[in-house]
Amino acid sequence: MTVKLSRRTKAAGTVAGVAAFAMLATGCSADGGSAASGDEDITLTITTFGTFGYDDLYKEYEKLNPNITIKPTNIDTGGNARTDAFTKIAAGSGLSDIVAVEEGWLGAIMEVSDRFVDLNDYGAQDIKDRWLDWKFDQGTDPDGRVIGYGTDIGPTGLCFNGPLFEQAGLPTDRDDVADLFGGDDASWDTYFELGAEYTEKTGKAWYDHSGFVWNSMVNQMDEGYYTSDGDLNIEGNSEMHDRFNQLAEATLNGQSAAQTAWDWGGGKAFVDGSFATFVCPGWMLGTIKGSLESGGGDASTGWDFADVYPGGPVNWGGSFLSVPTSSEHIEAAAELSAWLTDPEQQVKQSKAAGNFPSTIKAEETLAEEATPNELFNNAPTGAILAERAKGVQAQFKGPDDSVIQENVFGPALNLLDQQEATADEAWQKALDLLQELVIDN
C-alpha cells in the first residue's frame, strides 16, 4: 500500500510547546535529570520490524528507570512496517511513541518529516559525533531537522555454505573463498561464472532468489532508482538495464532457487542445501539465525561468512528511530531513542541481532573484539563487517524507493525466478509497473 502525502502536511497531532521540553540528550542517560528518571509513570510504545535485538535492552532500560514501561511491537518485515506506518500517518493517529524507519522508505518519511519531532530540540547536535557523518545526515531533512537516530548500517559480505562448496570442489576456508571471488576485485562477472560452474556440477541453485541479488546490484550504483536530484532513474538507464540482463541470464540458467523472501520455506531452504550463497548485509545475519532455527538447522548446517562481495562495498539498509509528533511522551521517547542508539547499547544490539552499528565507537569495538560467531563457523562477523564498511557510500533514496524494489522489480524478477518470462519481457513488466504504481499514482 502506498500512501501519498504532500510534503510539509500539517500534522494534526502536533504537540504544542515542544521547545518548552527541550533538553540535552546528553542528560538522557538513566542516572537522573531526565523524563525517564522522574516520578511520573510512563508507558512508551515502540514499533520495530524484523530482528532488532532490543528485547534485553528494553528490560535493562526499565530496570534503570523504574517509572518507564516499554510496550514493543515488532512487525515481520520492513515492507509491512512501511505499510503500517503510512496507514497510521494517513489516519492521523496510531503511531507508537518511537517508530523504527528503514532506509528504503526513509525518503517517503522525509516527505512528511514535519510529522516527526526535530531531535535537535532534544540534544541531537550534542551527540551527533557518535555517528558516521553520512548516517547522521541521512536522518536529517532538507530543513536541517533531525528526525531519526541511526541504529545500524548495512555493509555486506558473502554468506556461503561450506559443505555445499566442498561438494562442488570449491574451497571452504573463508579466506580462500574471498580469494576465489576475487578479493578486492570481486565482480558480478566472477560471481555468476562461479554460479554457473556450481550449478553445472551439482544441479543446484547458487542463490536463494533474484530479488536480493538485484537489490545489491542496484545499491552499488552511484545513483539507484533515483538520481541524487530526486528524479526517477530507471527508464533509459543502460547501466541498470545491463545489470538486470546479467542477473536475468544467470537466473534463467538455473542459478536461482526461486525462494520466497523472508520465508524460505519456513527456513528449511537454509538447511536442505537449496542454495549455496546468500547476500549478507549485517542485519541479515540475525534473519538467517531465525530462519535456521525455524528450519531445524544450527551451526552444523555449515553457513560461513567471507570478507568479500561482488562489485565491491555496498550499503544495504540500516534503520532509524524516530519520534512522531503525536507521541504523548515526546521527551521520554527522545531519551529512549538516544539511549538505544548509544554506542554501548549498539554493541549489545549487534551481539543480539547480528547487525552492524552506525556509531563509530561501536564499530571500533566490534572490530577490536573480533568475537567468533558460532552460527557462522566462528567467523568474526563483526570484524569482517567493519572491513566491509570501508568505502561504503550512502546512495540517495527517493520517496518510492522501497515500492520500486518490492512492488515494481519484485514481480518482474519473480517471473524470471519462475522461468515465466524472458529478460526483455521481465524488464518491460518492471517498466509497466513503474508507470502504474509510481508515475501515474
Side-chain angles (χ1 to χ4, degrees):
M1 177 180 179
T2 302
V3 178
K4 292 229 173 185
L5 296 169
S6 60
R7 180 169 173 76
R8 296 283 170 258
T9 302
K10 188 66 176 178
T14 298
V15 175
V18 167
F21 295 102
M23 59 174 294
L24 297 180
T26 47
C28 293
S29 61
D31 56 0
S34 69
S37 62
D39 295 329
E40 181 186 5
D41 289 335
I42 295 173
T43 296
L44 291 176
T45 56
I46 177 170
T47 298
T48 60
F49 50 85
T51 305
F52 259 67
Y54 275 168
D55 289 348
D56 287 343
L57 290 176
Y58 294 151
K59 295 174 184 175
E60 183 179 344
Y61 195 74
E62 289 175 329
K63 187 176 181 180
L64 292 168
N65 304 277
N67 66 314
I68 299 290
T69 299
I70 299 174
K71 291 184 64 175
T73 297
N74 183 261
I75 297 175
D76 55 353
T77 68
N80 287 336
R82 183 190 195 280
T83 299
D84 178 79
F86 278 92
T87 299
K88 291 171 178 174
I89 289 171
S93 64
L95 289 172
S96 297
D97 295 302
I98 299 173
V99 176
V101 174
E102 205 273 327
E103 182 200 45
W105 40 284
L106 179 65
I109 289 292
M110 286 297 180
E111 294 284 297
V112 291
S113 63
D114 59 350
R115 300 216 174 188
F116 292 88
V117 169
D118 182 2
L119 295 170
N120 282 316
D121 293 333
Y122 297 88
Q125 291 300 317
D126 297 284
I127 58 174
K128 68 176 295 184
D129 290 342
R130 287 177 178 176
W131 286 276
L132 297 165
D133 289 343
W134 64 263
K135 184 69 176 183
F136 187 82
D137 291 344
Q138 276 188 316
T140 305
D141 78 3
D143 295 332
R145 301 174 70 253
V146 177
I147 65 163
Y149 287 146
T151 61
D152 65 310
I153 61 174
T156 305
L158 187 68
C159 288
F160 69 98
N161 188 284
L164 293 177
F165 268 43
E166 185 174 17
Q167 291 172 22
L170 298 174
T172 58
D173 177 85
R174 72 179 66 92
D175 291 335
D176 292 339
V177 169
D179 290 339
L180 174 72
F181 281 88
D184 292 340
D185 296 321
S187 67
W188 288 107
D189 288 342
T190 301
Y191 177 77
F192 291 124
E193 288 169 4
L194 289 168
E197 177 184 340
Y198 176 85
T199 300
E200 181 178 355
K201 286 182 177 177
T202 66
K204 296 180 179 178
W206 187 231
Y207 44 88
D208 69 313
H209 80 296
S210 300
F212 283 176
V213 176
W214 176 243
N215 205 347
S216 298
M217 297 174 85
V218 172
N219 279 331
Q220 282 175 327
M221 299 173 66
D222 291 337
E223 295 177 317
Y225 296 135
Y226 287 84
T227 67
S228 56
D229 294 328
D231 297 326
L232 279 171
N233 187 40
I234 300 171
E235 193 166 8
N237 187 330
S238 59
E239 180 185 4
M240 186 177 291
H241 197 171
D242 288 345
R243 291 185 182 217
F244 186 89
N245 285 337
Q246 184 179 29
L247 174 59
E249 180 181 0
T251 296
L252 292 172
N253 286 328
Q255 293 194 36
S256 171
Q259 289 291 312
T260 300
W262 313 116
D263 178 49
W264 299 286
K268 289 184 174 56
F270 277 104
V271 182
D272 64 11
S274 291
F275 51 88
T277 65
F278 192 80
V279 294
C280 278
W283 49 266
M284 192 69 86
L285 299 178
T287 301
I288 294 175
K289 179 176 184 294
S291 295
L292 269 175
E293 292 171 349
S294 297
D298 53 26
S300 66
T301 307
W303 285 97
D304 206 323
F305 189 53
D307 182 7
V308 68
Y309 201 72
V314 58
N315 183 74
W316 177 7
S319 300
F320 302 80
L321 298 183
S322 296
V323 179
T325 55
S326 57
S327 169
E328 296 181 358
H329 306 291
I330 288 176
E331 179 184 356
E335 290 179 9
L336 176 56
S337 298
W339 187 84
L340 286 169
T341 53
D342 180 272
E344 183 177 353
Q345 274 62 257
Q346 285 200 344
V347 170
K348 297 173 185 176
Q349 179 194 16
S350 180
K351 291 178 178 177
N355 59 9
F356 192 69
S358 59
T359 58
I360 298 169
K361 185 176 180 181
E363 292 181 7
E364 292 173 347
T365 298
L366 291 184
E368 291 170 1
E369 291 181 348
T371 304
N373 188 323
E374 183 181 358
L375 192 66
F376 290 88
N377 193 27
N378 290 320
T381 50
I384 291 174
L385 287 168
E387 287 298 311
R388 301 311 314 159
K390 294 177 179 177
V392 164
Q393 297 290 325
Q395 185 186 80
F396 176 80
K397 299 297 182 183
D400 288 312
D401 222 277
S402 61
V403 173
I404 295 169
Q405 177 63 35
E406 294 187 21
N407 304 113
V408 170
F409 280 100
L413 292 165
N414 187 54
L415 289 176
L416 296 174
D417 279 338
Q418 301 302 325
Q419 308 284 317
E420 294 177 351
T422 65
D424 288 344
E425 290 168 345
W427 179 258
Q428 187 57 51
K429 175 71 173 179
L431 295 183
D432 291 344
L433 288 171
L434 179 71
Q435 187 72 38
E436 176 186 348
L437 300 178
V438 178
I439 297 174
D440 291 341
N441 190 17

